[in-house]
Amino acid sequence: MSLKAVSARPIIVPPELPANISASSAGVTGSVLSASDLTLEAVSEILAQATLLEREDPIQRAQRLAKRRIALLFYESSTRTRTSFELAAKGLGADTTLVSSLSSSIEKGETLKDTGLTLRALGAEAIILRHPSSGSPWLLERETQLPVLNAGDGMHEHPSQALLDLRTILAHLRPGIEAVTAETLAGVTVAITGDILHSRVARSNMTLLPKLGARVILCGPRELLPEIAAQTGPGVEIERDFTRALQQSQVVMMLRIQAERLAGLQLDLEEYKAGYQLTEERLAKHAPKALVMHPGPIIRGLELTGEVADGPQSLILEQVRHGVAIRMALVQRALTAQVRKGAGA
């Protein structure tokens, strides 16, 4: 099985935002657009709130945002992220509405700006957005002045996934810690392996984990991991040899090979599997105590085997569970920040 190039295409890591949008334009309290916007204090507050909400009586928890309105605006298919955000909002008592690109005015050509303004006019108090274009959450926030939670924008970022990944790592390597510091993950090495070029999950984790002291090793072939990725920031480096990456790591984060984005790249999938697939044998030989993570959806038999996905070192389903708690905290933060803003705070 192989996918061959028709022509090379530009590689930009990280993708640049549109010229008329900058990360610094983010100004609405409660938004989470990028992992780079999150201070250690904010991360600590989100982690602590996630724990509080997860442990709270469901009936009492459902009174927190009773009848508040959240819009989920999804321009791409999603199972985990959309369901997780929706369950999180409903768990807090909020009313949710889902707008997808295949069943709305979006299909008729309506712009993101106009769809956002329509949702605001209908009473939406915050918007959760997944969009194929990098920078779209900044545009939506700027035009609607509503809190926006970035549920994945193009090849750019997926900050809520990085937060739930962090919560999963802390639960195993630093149990009980929620007030994180720049040293919380000192001595921890995380290997991120796979289609890093197209991965917003990788980009958010490359930004967030080094803030807490973790060392991040990026691993993959040049087609999926350009050298420029090592310039992301301190604490991030590249190791092309998967065996050496495994031997150094306490956490191995595998990424899906995004076949839908591979047009224009020279990549032989059989060669990829030979070099980078996580198998039981590789794991047992080179990283027998490492935690195995994957943001999903997983492709069994490609980036990892079914035995590894279902094995004792796998935290894949635990990541999904942590996602609901983290997203409850983010939704609560978005809505309560809006109340403070409206009250003139």
Side-chain angles (χ1 to χ4, degrees), residues 85-203:
F85 266 118
E86 190 167 8
L87 288 174
K90 288 182 174 176
L92 296 168
D95 290 338
T96 63
T97 185
L98 170 65
V99 179
S100 74
S101 58
L102 298 179
S103 59
S104 67
S105 294
I106 298 168
E107 194 177 25
K108 301 172 184 175
E110 186 171 72
T111 65
L112 175 62
K113 172 183 175 179
D114 288 327
T115 299
L117 292 175
T118 298
L119 291 173
R120 188 182 71 179
L122 288 169
E125 299 172 77
I127 299 176
I128 299 161
L129 175 68
R130 171 168 286 200
H131 198 281
S133 298
S134 300
S136 51
W138 281 264
L139 174 68
L140 187 65
E141 184 200 62
R142 186 186 69 187
E143 298 299 335
T144 66
Q145 289 297 296
L146 290 176
V148 174
L149 300 178
N150 182 359
D153 63 320
M155 291 158 43
H156 186 233
E157 283 228 35
H158 198 344
S160 67
Q161 179 70 41
L163 285 165
L164 76 87
D165 289 342
L166 172 61
R167 190 175 196 243
T168 307
I169 293 171
L170 291 174
H172 285 264
L173 300 183
R174 302 289 187 270
I177 288 182
E178 289 173 345
V180 297
T181 71
E183 302 295 327
T184 295
L185 289 180
V188 173
T189 297
V190 179
I192 303 178
T193 305
D195 187 357
I196 293 166
L197 171 63
H198 301 108
S199 176
R200 45 203 175 199
V201 174
R203 203 154 286 110

Side-chain angles (χ1 to χ4, degrees), residues 187-191 215 217 237-239 241-252 286-287 290:
V188 173
T189 297
V190 179
R215 174 187 178 216
I217 296 177
E237 57 192 85
I238 288 177
E239 170 56 70
D241 187 293
F242 192 29
T243 295
R244 287 200 291 267
L246 288 174
Q247 290 170 339
Q248 300 174 62
S249 301
Q250 290 77 49
V251 180
V252 182
H286 303 299

Side-chain angles (χ1 to χ4, degrees), residues 35-341:
S36 62
D37 297 336
L38 294 169
T39 63
L40 291 174
E41 181 183 9
V43 173
S44 296
E45 290 176 354
I46 291 166
L47 292 171
Q49 188 70 7
T51 299
L52 185 153
L53 292 170
E54 188 177 54
R55 293 174 179 171
E56 192 170 41
D57 177 82
I59 295 176
Q60 183 178 348
R61 188 172 61 211
Q63 300 304 310
R64 286 179 171 270
L65 299 179
K67 308 310 292 181
R68 304 292 298 275
R69 296 177 179 175
I70 305 285
L72 294 96
L73 182 51
F74 275 63
Y75 286 72
E76 295 178 340
S77 300
S78 169
T79 300
R80 287 163 186 75
T81 303
R82 180 183 63 76
T83 305
S84 181
F85 266 118
E86 190 167 8
L87 288 174
K90 288 182 174 176
L92 296 168
D95 290 338
T96 63
T97 185
L98 170 65
V99 179
S100 74
S101 58
L102 298 179
S103 59
S104 67
S105 294
I106 298 168
E107 194 177 25
K108 301 172 184 175
E110 186 171 72
T111 65
L112 175 62
K113 172 183 175 179
D114 288 327
T115 299
L117 292 175
T118 298
L119 291 173
R120 188 182 71 179
L122 288 169
E125 299 172 77
I127 299 176
I128 299 161
L129 175 68
R130 171 168 286 200
H131 198 281
S133 298
S134 300
S136 51
W138 281 264
L139 174 68
L140 187 65
E141 184 200 62
R142 186 186 69 187
E143 298 299 335
T144 66
Q145 289 297 296
L146 290 176
V148 174
L149 300 178
N150 182 359
D153 63 320
M155 291 158 43
H156 186 233
E157 283 228 35
H158 198 344
S160 67
Q161 179 70 41
L163 285 165
L164 76 87
D165 289 342
L166 172 61
R167 190 175 196 243
T168 307
I169 293 171
L170 291 174
H172 285 264
L173 300 183
R174 302 289 187 270
I177 288 182
E178 289 173 345
V180 297
T181 71
E183 302 295 327
T184 295
L185 289 180
V188 173
T189 297
V190 179
I192 303 178
T193 305
D195 187 357
I196 293 166
L197 171 63
H198 301 108
S199 176
R200 45 203 175 199
V201 174
R203 203 154 286 110
S204 286
N205 272 297
M206 290 156 59
T207 301
L208 181 62
L209 294 176
K211 285 186 179 184
L212 281 68
R215 174 187 178 216
V216 173
I217 296 177
L218 306 177
C219 187
R222 295 183 187 279
E223 294 89 341
L224 300 179
L225 176 55
E227 289 290 337
I228 195 174
Q231 299 177 19
T232 302
V236 179
E237 57 192 85
I238 288 177
E239 170 56 70
R240 299 286 177 193
D241 187 293
F242 192 29
T243 295
R244 287 200 291 267
L246 288 174
Q247 290 170 339
Q248 300 174 62
S249 301
Q250 290 77 49
V251 180
V252 182
M253 190 178 296
M254 304 302 296
L255 300 176
R256 181 174 70 91
I257 300 302
Q258 302 184 50
E260 70 276 18
R261 298 180 189 266
L262 294 184
L265 294 180
Q266 293 279 1
L267 184 69
D268 186 305
L269 294 185
E270 291 302 324
E271 290 181 5
Y272 177 84
K273 288 161 61 176
Y276 297 99
Q277 185 185 68
L278 188 59
T279 64
E280 274 190 306
E281 181 181 4
R282 273 190 167 130
L283 193 60
K285 186 174 182 180
H286 303 299
K289 295 182 180 179
L291 308 175
V292 176
M293 301 176 67
H294 193 306
I298 63 173
I299 309 297
R300 292 172 184 257
L302 183 48
E303 63 265 14
L304 77 176
T305 63
E307 291 77 12
V308 172
D310 298 330
Q313 292 170 248
S314 172
L315 304 181
I316 296 171
L317 293 180
E318 189 174 331
Q319 289 173 263
V320 176
R321 182 174 63 78
H322 283 299
V324 177
I326 285 292
R327 285 161 178 146
M328 281 196 295
L330 294 178
V331 170
Q332 162 95 6
R333 183 174 181 266
L335 269 290
T336 55
Q338 193 177 24
V339 168
R340 288 199 300 271
K341 181 183 177 186

